[in-house]
Amino acid sequence: MRCTLPVQTKRRILCVFPAYTPSFGTFSHAYPLMGGVKAFMPPQGLLLISAYMPEGWECRFVDENIKRATPEEFAWADAVFVSGMHIQEPQIHEIAKRAHAAGKVTVLGGPSVSGAPEKYPDFDYLHMGEIGDATDELVSILDRDLTRPSAQVRLETKERLPLSDFPAPAYEAAPLKRYLIGSLQFSSGCPYRCEFCDIPQLYGRQPRLKSAEQMCAELDAIISQPGHPAVVYFVDDNFIANRKATRDMLPHLVAWQKKNDYPLQFACEATLNMAKQPEILELMRQANFMTVFVGIETPEEDALKGIDKTHNAAVPMYGAIETLNSYGLEVTSGIILGLDTESDASEQYLIDFIDKSGIPVLTINILQALPKTPLWDRLEKEGRLLHDASLESNVLFKRPHDTVVSSWRRAIAHAYEPEKIFERFKHQCATTYPHRIKTPTKGKLTFTNLRRGLILGFNIITRVGIFSDYRRPFWSAAGYALKRGQIEAVFNMGFVAHHLIRFTREALRGEHNASFYAAKAAETEAARQRSWWENARKRFVPEREAA
């Protein structure tokens, strides 16, 4: 539903989503292979706010991962809304500067400002927390007056809008064909209290839910847009946070897929103990879920206790991964280095895990303390929070900083050595992909999908299969998949490995930060200073020349 407050004026709201600093998880090097893809995933938050604005208020949406907001767009707006994560902090400030230069009032919401409002003194209004009473108060203020306040105004949500009353995100405002994957939300919140995670503090431990009818209506809106992504990601903090609700919702998702001839594939994130839920896993298989992101964090069981993540040990780790694979779910994994329990042997434990698990994609980050987490509170009491921009983390590790960073460098170098990653993809061809359901061809035979497939196939053959220095292991894995009739797997492993190999090489050259939650400010600024041609060359030139 929209905001129901009576308003006296018509306002024009420009919603601007800041560009991401490149990371392992955004797959930026894959975009040039895909013909028109410019960004990873549409942001649910700003699209939801846009849909919630009062009837008669005009909203425009700009994702600066796709294109930069223009002076004309700032001039059009009465107010500029921004949302983002901690890693987007430099870009968030830059948008505020441009909006103020245009004389516009600025509003910042989303996870970063909700967790650390002190980072953003340059915004006129801060919206902390989810959509709710603070949002209505903001609407009332902007309805009365567009003058920039003399001092910053902070609005914090006390009463959240129930998810069952959420409007459908304004997907029509976003060019979905420019995104690698689509986004969808079913629940918010997570019952667990992992020490490093801010989700329970920001969104609560009691999961809140949308109805199955809402989900299906939003899926209808996604597929109604020509050129929509073929994969939709459930952005839920934990897809099985409420197991009964997930189990009850999934049959509706299966029915929707069957009704529409399976036009989409799904992905989500969940805790590893979902391996204990065979009924949910089978329903996910029937609904055409392909991938699940799991925060494994560390293969060392004692370390899991230290970060309050013992639920990862509810079933043997390798057995849980094999169970997920047996339902056609390819596991991707988050890994953290720099935990207090680490020893000199931890790096080898991780490398052994990488090889034995057969997980192709692992986002390996150095520990970063986020505000509003138990980790932040503990380290603050211990005097172990750092504020040195030259370091890779704000944590004073138990081991020397350079030792942890060197371990991270060796771990990513091992994980994304071309022969290693393609061997792990071959493992998936044998153990995971054969367990996926066969879906009707009709749902996938669209002009967009055919065009996308031709462009992707051509670029993978040329850029990966001919011009890259990792063409030999690629063709070995591609041949292995083709012998099993897994044509789609060739496309997937081609663009995923291409990104991961190239990003790793850049990281090893010092161009990227060792944590997804902290931006490499120097490289971000350097990218701004480079010419269009220099930036384009860094993205498109064959890796053997760029290395």
Side-chain angles (χ1 to χ4, degrees):
M1 69 179 199
R2 285 185 176 273
C3 175
T4 57
L5 290 177
V7 293
Q8 306 301 316
T9 60
K10 290 187 176 181
R11 298 303 190 199
R12 293 181 295 196
I13 308 298
L14 179 64
C15 297
V16 184
F17 189 66
Y20 277 112
T21 299
S23 74
F24 276 107
T26 54
F27 291 94
S28 54
H29 286 300
Y31 305 159
L33 305 181
M34 305 191 73
V37 170
K38 300 291 185 182
F40 182 57
M41 182 169 60
Q44 284 273 310
L46 275 180
L47 294 178
L48 175 65
I49 286 291
S50 180
Y52 185 74
M53 288 297 98
E55 195 77 43
W57 284 28
E58 189 177 351
C59 294
R60 292 183 184 177
F61 168 74
V62 177
D63 186 342
E64 294 209 324
N65 294 282
I66 297 175
K67 80 172 193 70
R68 188 174 173 86
T70 64
E72 291 76 17
E73 286 167 324
F74 282 111
W76 168 87
D78 292 319
V80 177
F81 286 12
V82 186
S83 176
M85 301 170 67
H86 294 311
I87 196 172
Q88 295 166 293
E89 182 186 345
Q91 294 90 321
I92 291 172
H93 289 299
E94 201 260 345
I95 293 169
K97 183 178 180 181
R98 287 153 56 203
H100 286 154
K104 306 302 177 179
V105 65
T106 57
V107 182
L108 177 62
S112 186
V113 69
S114 297
E118 67 279 1
K119 289 176 178 281
Y120 301 102
D122 46 344
F123 276 80
D124 300 312
Y125 295 94
L126 300 186
H127 182 294
M128 295 173 288
E130 292 181 271
I131 192 169
D133 55 355
T135 320
D136 290 345
E137 186 178 356
L138 175 65
V139 168
S140 294
I141 292 171
L142 295 180
D143 183 44
R144 292 192 306 268
D145 188 7
L146 289 173
T147 305
R148 291 185 59 193
S150 57
Q152 184 181 78
V153 176
R154 295 187 177 189
L155 308 171
E156 185 170 3
T157 296
K158 304 298 183 185
E159 294 185 20
R160 298 181 177 111
L161 184 72
L163 261 68
S164 57
D165 290 337
F166 273 26
Y171 292 118
E172 70 280 358
L176 296 186
K177 65 182 179 181
R178 299 302 182 199
Y179 290 95
L180 179 66
I181 60 177
S183 62
L184 193 72
Q185 184 180 25
F186 169 57
S187 69
S188 181
C190 180
Y192 298 110
R193 287 279 290 172
C194 305
E195 188 188 40
F196 55 85
C197 183
D198 59 0
I199 294 301
Q201 181 67 24
L202 294 179
Y203 306 119
R205 297 185 65 190
Q206 184 65 40
R208 289 160 291 118
L209 309 164
K210 289 183 181 178
S211 68
E213 291 73 22
Q214 282 176 285
M215 301 297 304
C216 293
E218 291 183 25
L219 288 170
D220 287 338
I222 290 173
I223 66 169
S224 70
Q225 191 170 139
H228 63 81
V231 178
V232 168
Y233 194 94
F234 279 79
V235 297
D236 302 28
D237 311 308
N238 181 355
F239 189 65
I240 60 164
N242 183 323
R243 292 189 292 273
K244 181 181 183 303
T246 303
R247 189 166 54 246
D248 292 344
M249 180 274 291
L250 282 168
H252 296 274
L253 201 58
V254 173
W256 184 89
Q257 286 276 50
K258 290 179 177 178
K259 176 185 174 184
N260 292 281
D261 294 317
Y262 283 84
L264 297 173
Q265 298 174 353
F266 294 120
C268 68
E269 53 190 86
T271 42
L272 191 60
N273 58 357
M274 75 183 306
K276 297 173 66 177
Q277 305 296 322
E279 186 179 355
I280 289 177
L281 292 175
E282 178 56 29
L283 286 168
M284 290 175 68
R285 193 176 81 89
Q286 294 298 327
N288 213 27
F289 276 79
M290 299 289 188
T291 306
V292 57
F293 177 91
V294 176
I296 286 175
E297 320 310 357
T298 172
E300 298 180 67
E301 193 166 327
D302 287 344
L304 292 173
K305 295 176 184 176
I307 57 175
D308 289 336
K309 197 148 188 176
T310 53
H311 48 275
N312 264 15
V315 289
M317 191 169 289
Y318 291 111
I321 295 167
E322 290 174 4
T323 296
L324 298 179
N325 291 163
S326 72
Y327 286 91
L329 289 168
E330 181 175 293
V331 175
T332 64
S333 173
I335 298 291
I336 299 174
L337 287 172
L339 301 173
D340 283 359
T341 53
E342 279 182 10
S343 66
D344 291 341
S346 294
E347 179 185 325
Q348 190 58 51
Y349 289 145
L350 174 56
I351 286 172
D352 292 344
F353 171 79
I354 291 168
D355 293 340
K356 186 176 177 181
S357 69
I359 295 175
V361 180
L362 306 102
T363 55
I364 305 172
N365 293 313
I366 286 181
L367 181 67
Q368 187 87 3
L370 302 180
K372 295 195 174 181
T373 62
L375 175 66
W376 177 281
D377 295 340
R378 177 171 67 83
L379 295 181
E380 189 172 47
K381 289 177 183 176
E382 295 175 4
R384 294 174 56 203
L385 285 177
L386 302 175
H387 304 282
D388 185 343
S390 68
L391 300 177
E392 294 284 348
S393 172
N394 63 352
V395 175
L396 179 60
F397 303 120
K398 290 289 184 75
R399 296 200 295 160
H401 174 271
D402 289 350
T403 299
V404 175
V405 173
S406 295
S407 183
W408 173 78
R409 291 171 63 86
R410 287 189 294 269
I412 63 170
H414 179 88
Y416 297 119
E417 180 185 348
E419 288 76 10
K420 296 289 186 182
I421 185 172
F422 284 115
E423 276 300 314
R424 300 199 300 276
F425 271 118
K426 287 168 72 172
H427 174 78
Q428 296 300 306
C429 291
T431 63
T432 302
Y433 306 152
H435 299 294
R436 292 173 174 172
I437 62 169
K438 302 289 189 247
T439 58
T441 305
K442 181 180 178 183
K444 295 176 276 191
L445 273 182
T446 65
F447 173 78
T448 297
N449 284 346
L450 290 172
R451 178 180 177 275
R452 187 181 287 145
L454 287 172
I455 292 172
L456 180 58
F458 174 79
N459 284 327
I460 287 174
I461 289 171
T462 54
R463 297 192 184 192
V464 181
I466 297 176
F467 292 115
S468 78
D469 59 2
Y470 37 90
R471 56 187 176 271
R472 187 180 298 274
F474 164 72
W475 283 118
S476 173
Y480 189 85
L482 290 171
K483 288 177 182 176
R484 289 157 176 76
Q486 298 167 349
I487 298 174
E488 191 173 343
V490 177
F491 287 67
N492 181 62
M493 69 175 70
F495 84 81
V496 170
H498 176 70
H499 165 75
L500 293 171
I501 292 167
R502 294 197 64 176
F503 189 89
T504 297
R505 292 176 176 180
E506 291 173 352
L508 293 174
R509 294 197 297 266
E511 295 177 18
H512 301 297
N513 197 283
S515 169
F516 177 73
Y517 301 98
K520 198 78 168 179
E523 170 58 18
T524 301
E525 181 60 29
R528 290 199 184 114
Q529 298 299 323
R530 287 193 295 264
S531 70
W532 176 90
W533 169 249
E534 289 171 322
N535 279 315
R537 185 179 182 279
K538 283 178 71 68
R539 292 183 66 191
F540 291 102
V541 76
E543 176 61 29
R544 56 186 175 184
E545 294 180 23

